[in-house]
Amino acid sequence: MCRLGDSSSFDDEYRSSRNIAISLFRRYKNAVDRGGGDNLKEFISAGVNAYALGCTDKGLRDELTDMKESGVEIEAMQAYGGNTTLKSKIISEEIDECIFWLSIIFITILCTPQPTVVRWSSTPPVSEEILRQWKGFCALIANAYYIRGMAWLPVKTLQMEQMAVMGRSEEPSVVASRMRLVFSTLEVVRPQCPRA
């Protein structure tokens, strides 16, 4: 779950773990439905805030699963100047992918030089299993970003890391999108201009 202070300066979306889960899920859907770029950065920024507030992947998954099981519909984020309100039911596969993206963001933060993002909780942000599977992947990208100033790695290198840890690798396009998520997270938490 998440630890929240009593500060009234927090937006409503950060007042409870349920509100944080809804905010993340809406931003995730926005990034998927409308494409990356600024939409992806908004999702990442919300994920960084969730990390700082002490949220865990399990706690946020539980919130979204509870809402799915109770039939709650999530209102889509509105387009600029639009008055249309769309509501949709939460689907299990979307919860899984949203939380997976969030886990990658959390692990990426763990791979940054300390203290990039201060966490308000000593509870680990992700399970040991997901950390074991993805820490090497995120660390390779973080090292390329911080040490060599790179903004891209060969997909084959990351597929070999997946093969070594999980015994299988994902399709190149999927690996490239995971890599983009990690690099985008690094740009949000510690912007830098890659060296030529």
Side-chain angles (χ1 to χ4, degrees):
M1 295 302 205
C2 311
R3 270 200 199 132
L4 301 175
D6 293 329
S7 171
S8 59
S9 66
F10 277 116
D11 292 330
D12 282 343
E13 64 188 86
Y14 296 110
R15 289 195 189 277
S16 71
S17 56
R18 174 163 282 212
N19 287 0
I20 292 169
I22 290 169
S23 173
L24 281 162
F25 189 75
R26 288 173 68 203
R27 283 176 167 81
Y28 161 78
K29 291 274 291 170
N30 207 31
V32 169
D33 295 345
R34 297 185 188 166
D38 289 342
N39 297 319
L40 180 61
K41 293 241 167 117
E42 276 191 32
F43 174 77
I44 291 168
S45 294
V48 170
N49 286 335
Y51 175 90
L53 291 169
C55 294
T56 65
D57 59 351
K58 181 185 182 320
L60 293 169
R61 177 187 300 277
D62 290 348
E63 289 287 358
L64 290 173
T65 302
D66 287 349
M67 285 185 276
K68 178 187 89 67
E69 289 171 359
S70 63
V72 170
E73 292 186 337
I74 301 259
E75 212 172 277
M77 296 188 81
Q78 293 194 350
Y80 297 107
N83 293 327
T84 309
T85 300
L86 297 172
K87 289 190 173 191
S88 63
K89 290 201 178 288
I90 301 171
I91 301 168
S92 294
E93 293 78 20
E94 290 176 329
I95 293 173
D96 292 343
E97 193 64 10
C98 175
I99 297 302
F100 176 74
W101 283 23
L102 189 66
S103 297
I104 294 292
I105 292 168
F106 287 179
I107 293 168
T108 300
I109 294 168
L110 293 173
C111 292
T112 61
Q114 299 300 322
T116 304
V117 179
V118 177
R119 187 165 162 80
W120 291 7
S121 170
S122 59
T123 306
V126 296
S127 69
E128 283 185 31
E129 177 67 12
I130 195 100
L131 185 64
R132 183 190 66 75
Q133 289 179 350
W134 290 95
K135 187 169 184 187
F137 184 95
C138 295
L140 277 172
I141 297 167
N143 286 339
Y145 182 80
Y146 287 114
I147 295 169
R148 291 182 284 178
M150 296 169 70
W152 194 256
L153 275 177
V155 168
K156 277 272 185 233
T157 302
L158 296 170
Q159 284 180 307
M160 289 188 331
E161 168 64 21
Q162 288 183 326
M163 191 64 92
V165 175
M166 296 183 276
R168 61 177 176 76
S169 66
E170 295 174 301
E171 292 293 317
S173 61
V174 175
V175 174
S177 70
R178 310 262 191 246
M179 175 176 26
R180 181 174 177 217
L181 178 60
V182 176
F183 273 119
S184 296
T185 300
L186 293 168
E187 288 170 5
V188 168
V189 296
R190 188 177 269 186
Q192 69 182 34
C193 296
R195 288 173 293 227

